[in-house]
Amino acid sequence: MLNFRWGRSKKSRTTLVLFPILLIGALAWSVADFGSPALPGEAATTVTINAQAPTQPFPHYWERMFGSGRAILSLRDSYRRDLRAVRRATGFEYIRFHGIFDDDVGVYSEDTQGRPVYNFTYVDQIYDGLLANGVRPFVEISFMPKALASTQTQMLFWYRPYVAPPKDWTRWDDLIEAFARHLIARYGIDELSQWYFEVWNEPNIMFWAGQPKQETYFKLYDETAKALKQVSPRLRVGGPSTAQAAWVGAFIKHCADGNVPVDFVSTHVYANDSSEDVFGTHETISRFDMVPRAVRKVHDQVKNSARPDLPIIFSEYNASYMNEVDVTDSAFMGPWLASTISRCDGLVDTLAYWSFSDVFEEQGVVKRPFYGGYGLMAAGNIPKASYNDFAILHRLGTERIAVDSDSVLATRRDDGSLAVAVWNCAPPGKSGASREFNLSLQGLGDMHQAIIFRVDHEHGSALAAWEAMGKADFPTREQQELLRDAGRLPAPEIRTLPATNDEAFSVTVPAHGLDVILFQK
């Protein structure tokens, strides 16, 4: 089965782009899959960690928000079950999805005289369900209701959203105002002031049919932001929500020059985006380097702009925009996530993983539990390795201790204990040598216990179990339960440290492995 994501490349704005996964599997791994992280299998790595060293704040910016499938899916029990599981693992605060104005939500229509009719029944059910589960909406204002669209241009997702500008800007403004006033009436301005309102999704590629793209998107942003602020200046609005880390500098300049309200900037990047699309260069950028470099680019653009104070939100990112089983469904994600989190620290306010669940229908109804979907949970409430990666990374502390390693992240927790992540990078779909880490620990005081959480091919990953049962497209209930068991995070290893701590603490991490070690009393 061949899987794909639509329209990521600027070169393919009007045509379907297919990415043959079989071709990827046939190619030898290259620097594009594996870059700056140290190669595995060399001599043991010794890293000194001083638990009493000065620290820097380490907010858990990577687990504040997740993306998900389109709005209407949030009414499904399977969606909400996965949401609760991911929230238990991460404590995340916000969820973002496409299509709150799509016709299947029923917000906008016109009567026989052509007059606007608003219906917020499903909007209420959608947002009530999120709030009841302890998660706030990050409202992506999209897409265009069919009755309000200036043309019938549709994005080539399975559910075919309309992506044209409005046929009547006054009616668009009225819709935005009615939407915001309804939300305030239902939830109150104190609650709404804690939400975010993001204007559209990836207008620089196939999700926006206005021409020229940037000019017409800026008009959409202006109209939408002003309509929201007219309802209440406490509502937070931002953009440009672009693919490939694009337009941020131009967007801020546009808002500053025109005195247009903006409370944050948002954009997206995927680790296999091309250097041409993200940086306008012809270099080869590894899958491990792309996201940190794009985040640095946007950070520098904001800090050098007329609004250097604006929060930076990457409201979509992942290791792949394609459907690659060896990437998003596999243990590869642990080292990739840990490396990305370590290197983006201090450069971005929120990094929102796309997405939390494979209750997701951009390419149609899911046909098998492991197909390279973007979610942490496979169809059937089956946790992937990435779910467990997030769960153990959640145990990191909120203060970072500097260490001399690109494969070790040391933190101090609120209770004074030490939490250390250690990982072994390897290309997706390729085996590699295990890597030994000798942690020279200093200043532990009375901490004499080490608790080791592991995620790798053999720990906390259901992929091998699914392959062993013949890659069933539609697992039975019994098979689903077996896969859930295989995907559960195993009990940690517990070691007692010697009283003197003179010897280095050693762990051996297999290729694609991630360990998080707690040192405590």
Side-chain angles (χ1 to χ4, degrees):
M1 180 179 70
L2 205 60
N3 293 291
F4 47 81
R5 181 176 168 99
W6 303 87
R8 295 293 311 178
S9 174
K10 291 180 182 178
K11 301 177 181 65
S12 308
R13 289 172 179 163
T14 59
T15 59
L16 170 63
V17 181
L18 299 181
F19 298 96
I21 305 307
L22 295 177
L23 176 61
I24 291 172
L27 294 175
W29 67 273
S30 67
V31 70
D33 289 319
F34 191 84
S36 59
L39 288 170
E42 305 298 330
T45 301
T46 298
V47 180
T48 299
I49 302 174
N50 185 349
Q52 303 305 318
T55 62
Q56 295 291 330
F58 187 60
H60 285 210
Y61 67 92
W62 69 89
E63 56 179 4
R64 289 190 68 217
M65 181 168 83
F66 285 89
S68 82
R70 72 189 193 279
I72 201 68
L73 298 179
S74 70
L75 298 181
R76 294 186 185 173
D77 179 66
S78 55
Y79 179 106
R80 294 182 177 182
R81 182 172 55 173
D82 286 355
L83 183 147
R84 288 189 290 270
V86 174
R87 191 167 191 280
R88 282 195 301 271
T90 65
F92 79 98
E93 304 169 60
Y94 292 93
I95 197 77
R96 173 184 178 268
F97 42 65
H98 306 319
I100 196 65
F101 289 165
D102 282 357
D103 286 350
D104 56 11
V105 181
V107 173
Y108 182 91
S109 61
E110 295 177 356
D111 65 17
T112 54
Q113 284 75 46
R115 294 171 299 197
V117 177
Y118 305 135
N119 184 342
F120 299 112
T121 298
Y122 279 173
V123 168
D124 293 345
Q125 292 178 22
I126 288 166
Y127 291 153
D128 284 0
L130 299 184
L131 294 170
N133 284 290
V135 178
R136 289 190 168 102
F138 186 98
V139 181
E140 178 197 299
I141 296 176
S142 71
F143 288 105
M144 193 61 60
K146 180 179 180 180
L148 190 52
S150 57
T151 72
Q152 296 304 293
T153 308
Q154 293 173 276
M155 174 60 186
L156 298 177
F157 281 165
W158 181 70
Y159 57 90
R160 304 299 297 272
Y162 291 85
V163 294
K167 65 183 181 184
D168 184 320
W169 285 102
T170 299
R171 290 195 177 191
W172 173 260
D173 294 347
D174 291 345
L175 169 61
I176 298 301
E177 287 191 32
F179 178 62
R181 292 188 190 283
H182 173 80
L183 295 178
I184 290 173
R186 187 169 185 85
Y187 304 111
I189 188 57
D190 289 341
E191 173 63 30
L192 261 290
S193 67
Q194 299 181 74
W195 298 17
Y196 294 82
F197 292 83
E198 180 187 45
V199 180
W200 215 252
N201 175 73
E202 300 189 350
N204 59 317
I205 57 173
M206 293 175 67
F207 292 91
W208 178 243
Q211 293 295 334
K213 282 186 179 288
Q214 188 178 94
E215 180 182 332
T216 56
Y217 171 75
F218 284 173
K219 179 173 177 58
L220 177 77
Y221 180 84
D222 295 353
E223 297 285 339
T224 307
K226 291 174 182 177
L228 288 168
K229 293 293 189 179
Q230 182 171 321
V231 174
S232 173
R234 296 177 64 187
L235 298 180
R236 295 186 288 197
V237 62
S241 190
T242 40
Q244 303 150 351
W247 293 6
V248 170
F251 172 74
I252 297 174
K253 185 178 187 302
H254 167 80
C255 292
D257 290 349
N259 197 28
V260 181
V262 58
D263 298 299
F264 61 91
V265 294
S266 64
T267 189
H268 307 158
V269 72
Y270 286 78
N272 57 339
D273 276 333
S274 73
S275 63
E276 288 84 357
D277 286 336
V278 180
F279 300 103
T281 66
H282 298 287
E283 59 191 305
T284 299
I285 300 177
S286 83
R287 200 186 294 261
F288 282 87
D289 288 340
M290 177 56 78
V291 173
R293 282 190 54 177
V295 167
R296 168 66 72 177
K297 166 193 162 181
V298 171
H299 173 271
D300 291 348
Q301 288 176 334
V302 173
K303 297 310 175 187
N304 293 319
S305 75
R307 290 292 309 275
D309 58 321
L310 286 173
I312 300 169
I313 299 174
F314 271 72
S315 53
E316 283 187 31
Y317 86 106
N318 202 318
S320 181
Y321 59 76
M322 297 156 62
N323 294 145
E324 299 181 74
V325 172
D326 287 336
V327 177
T328 51
D329 287 344
S330 78
F332 166 84
M333 291 302 296
W336 183 84
L337 282 166
S339 176
T340 299
I341 289 164
S342 178
R343 296 174 63 191
C344 293
D345 177 30
L347 302 176
V348 62
D349 294 275
T350 299
L351 199 60
Y353 187 86
W354 187 269
S355 60
F356 83 89
S357 170
D358 281 351
V359 179
F360 195 87
E361 294 177 347
E362 288 182 1
Q363 297 103 25
V365 179
V366 172
K367 299 176 177 65
R368 52 174 35 186
F370 295 99
Y371 67 98
Y374 312 122
L376 304 183
M377 304 290 291
N381 194 233
I382 299 165
K384 300 183 189 179
S386 56
Y387 171 86
N388 291 313
D389 293 322
F390 270 95
I392 65 175
L393 290 167
H394 180 68
R395 297 175 181 271
L396 292 174
T398 56
E399 298 174 80
R400 185 169 183 174
I401 301 168
V403 296
D404 185 18
S405 175
D406 59 11
S407 299
V408 177
L409 174 59
T411 65
R412 189 157 60 218
R413 289 156 55 98
D414 293 341
D415 62 1
S417 61
L418 196 66
V420 180
V422 180
W423 58 91
N424 184 356
C425 298
K430 301 294 180 180
S431 60
S434 296
R435 191 173 175 194
E436 183 179 355
F437 292 86
N438 295 325
L439 306 182
S440 177
L441 304 170
Q442 301 174 0
L444 285 184
D446 58 358
M447 289 183 270
H448 293 297
Q449 186 180 66
I451 303 175
I452 308 171
F453 296 89
R454 293 188 172 93
V455 180
D456 52 50
H457 291 300
E458 297 181 357
H459 300 86
S461 177
L463 184 59
W466 177 69
E467 291 171 342
M469 65 175 54
K471 300 183 179 180
D473 288 345
F474 310 107
T476 65
R477 290 182 177 183
E478 292 77 13
Q479 287 175 319
Q480 283 185 330
E481 191 56 45
L482 288 172
L483 292 173
R484 292 185 198 111
D485 286 341
R488 289 193 177 96
L489 185 66
E493 177 188 354
I494 300 176
R495 296 189 204 170
T496 300
L497 303 178
T500 59
N501 290 329
D502 290 334
E503 297 182 5
F505 182 89
S506 295
V507 289
T508 300
V509 184
H512 301 140
L514 169 67
D515 288 6
V516 171
I517 310 159
L518 306 184
F519 297 97
Q520 60 188 33
K521 297 179 183 179

